[in-house]
Amino acid sequence: MAKKPVRAAVGDIRITCQVCGSEHFRDRPVLLNSSGMEFMKLAWANETATGLICWQCGYVQLFANQDLQLYRGDA
């Protein structure tokens, strides 16, 4: 079963898809790997971001901002 869609905002700014304008996303954590950390076998210590995958067109946006808020949304 697919995850339910979410809406997102940073402060008062609502996030929309840069391609189709949709406000509905699937979210998932994304590891921001660096080659140095990979080389030293420390990839697990890299910074993470939140990936928002557009529910409509599949475009992926990454947010490293800790102020990103996710809200339930109905597609």
Side-chain angles (χ1 to χ4, degrees), residues 45-73:
N46 277 310
E47 186 176 359
T48 60
T50 300
L52 295 180
I53 305 162
C54 179
W55 198 265
Q56 186 168 321
C57 73
Y59 184 76
V60 178
Q61 299 180 70
L62 295 177
F63 292 86
N65 188 325
Q66 298 299 317
D67 296 330
L68 180 71
Q69 296 293 317
L70 302 177
Y71 306 93
R72 284 193 293 200

Side-chain angles (χ1 to χ4, degrees), residues 2-3 8 10 13 20-21 28-29 31-32 51 53-54 67-68:
K3 244 178 140 174
V10 175
I13 302 169
C20 71
R28 65 170 292 168
L31 191 59
L32 302 175
I53 305 162
C54 179
D67 296 330
L68 180 71

Side-chain angles (χ1 to χ4, degrees), residues 1-6 25-29 51 55 70:
M1 175 186 273
K3 244 178 140 174
K4 296 196 182 247
V6 296
F25 301 94
R26 290 188 320 268
D27 66 295
R28 65 170 292 168
W55 198 265
L70 302 177

